[in-house]
Amino acid sequence: MTAAPAIWLNDLSFTWPRQAAPALVLDDLRVEAGQQVFVSGPSGSGKSTLLAIIGGIIIAQRGSVSVLGQPLQSLAASRRDRFRVDHLGFIFQQFNLLPYLSVIDNVLLPCRFSPIRRERALQHADDLPQAARALLASLDLAPALWMRDVAQLSIGQQQRVAAARALIGRPDIIIADEPTSALDSDRQQGFLDLLQQQCRHSASALVFVSHDLRLAQRFDTRIALEQINRASAAEDLA
C-alpha cells in the first residue's frame, strides 16, 4: 500500500474574518514523507496562511487538509493541538524561545507536552537531557552554552536551539518559517547544512519558507506560492 503524503491540500480555500477575498486558494499541493520543499513568495502571497493551515492552527472554509493521512478538519481544536505537538516541529522566524529557561529546557519543551516525542527521544538516549545534548552537539552548539539562559546567546546560537527544539523526538514534519533571515550568507549555508542533514537522518519532511531564492537550489522541490495560489493570481488581475 502506498504511504499517504506527509501533507496534502486539495481544493482548498481560506478567507480571514472580515476579509472579502480569500487569502489562499489551492487546487492541489502535496509534500511526500521525507521530502524537502522550498516555499517562496512575496509578502501577501499566502505563506503564513499556508503554514497555519498545515499546522492545524486555522481550518479552511473549503477543501481538505490531510497531514500524515489525518484529515485535520475532522479534529476538534484540542485534538489538533495534540496532533501538532506530536508530529510537527516548528522553527519560527523570531525563534520564540523562552528567555527564562536554559538551552536544554527550551529544547525539551516538546517532550513535556508530547508522549510520542518523548518516547522517540528516548529511543537512542538514556534520558531526555542526554537526547537534547546529543542533538545540540550535532548542531554544533558548544557544551559550555547548554545550561545558559537562551537570552544570553547570539542570534545564530538561538537559531540552533530553535532547530533542536523542533527536531527533538523526530517529528514527521519540520516547518521552518524564514529561520535564516537574520543571518549572513555563510551562516545561512552552515545552518541549512545542519538542518537538512538532521531532517534526512530523522526521515522528516521539511517545508522551508524563505524570500531568499538563492537557497532554493538546495531543495528537492521549489514551490513559488504566488504561482499556485489562485487567490493571489485573481488579486493581480483585479
Side-chain angles (χ1 to χ4, degrees):
M1 181 180 295
T2 303
I7 300 164
W8 183 15
L9 281 58
N10 183 253
D11 190 27
L12 181 138
S13 178
F14 177 85
T15 303
W16 289 102
R18 296 182 294 279
Q19 296 293 318
L24 198 65
V25 178
L26 296 175
D27 293 328
D28 188 87
L29 188 154
R30 300 189 191 209
V31 177
E32 302 298 334
Q35 188 177 8
Q36 299 193 357
V37 177
F38 181 90
V39 179
S40 65
S43 297
S45 61
K47 299 189 300 299
S48 296
T49 303
L50 173 66
L51 298 187
I53 286 173
I54 291 172
I57 299 168
I58 57 177
I59 294 296
Q61 290 89 358
R62 190 191 76 209
S64 62
V65 178
S66 175
V67 177
L68 305 171
Q70 172 63 60
L72 294 188
Q73 64 270 24
S74 70
L75 299 179
S78 60
R79 290 190 63 196
R80 292 199 307 273
D81 292 343
R82 170 62 62 189
F83 185 87
R84 180 168 57 251
V85 73
D86 283 343
H87 300 289
L88 281 74
F90 280 83
I91 308 174
F92 300 97
Q93 183 174 359
Q94 302 301 325
F95 309 144
N96 291 9
L97 301 172
L98 298 184
Y100 51 84
L101 293 182
S102 71
V103 167
I104 292 284
D105 288 338
N106 265 280
V107 173
L108 290 177
L109 276 174
C111 296
R112 292 179 57 185
F113 299 105
S114 171
I116 291 176
R117 300 272 291 273
R118 182 164 59 246
E119 181 180 346
R120 287 182 177 179
L122 289 171
Q123 287 177 353
H124 302 289
D126 294 332
D127 55 35
L128 290 175
Q130 184 186 67
R133 289 192 295 267
L135 195 49
L136 289 165
S138 72
L139 289 165
D140 287 345
L141 193 73
L145 303 174
W146 294 349
M147 294 310 297
R148 291 189 185 180
D149 292 348
V150 292
Q152 301 175 13
L153 273 55
S154 70
I155 293 297
Q157 291 164 344
Q158 290 184 34
Q159 179 191 53
R160 296 185 184 198
V161 177
R165 183 183 59 186
L167 289 160
I168 192 79
R170 294 184 290 114
D172 303 276
I173 300 168
I174 299 295
I175 305 292
D177 185 7
E178 298 274 8
T180 62
S181 60
L183 301 182
D184 60 37
S185 179
D186 288 343
R187 289 185 176 180
Q188 281 182 339
Q189 297 297 332
F191 174 75
L192 268 174
D193 286 342
L194 296 168
L195 176 62
Q196 292 184 297
Q197 178 183 359
Q198 284 296 321
C199 286
R200 285 190 290 268
H201 178 71
S202 301
S204 302
L206 172 60
V207 178
F208 187 96
V209 172
S210 179
H211 285 95
D212 191 343
L213 299 182
R214 296 171 300 175
L215 304 177
Q217 62 186 352
R218 301 177 55 106
F219 288 79
D220 304 331
T221 304
R222 178 192 167 188
I223 296 173
L225 195 54
E226 72 275 16
Q227 295 179 10
I228 67 169
N229 180 6
R230 291 196 287 110
S232 297
E235 185 174 312
D236 290 342
L237 292 172

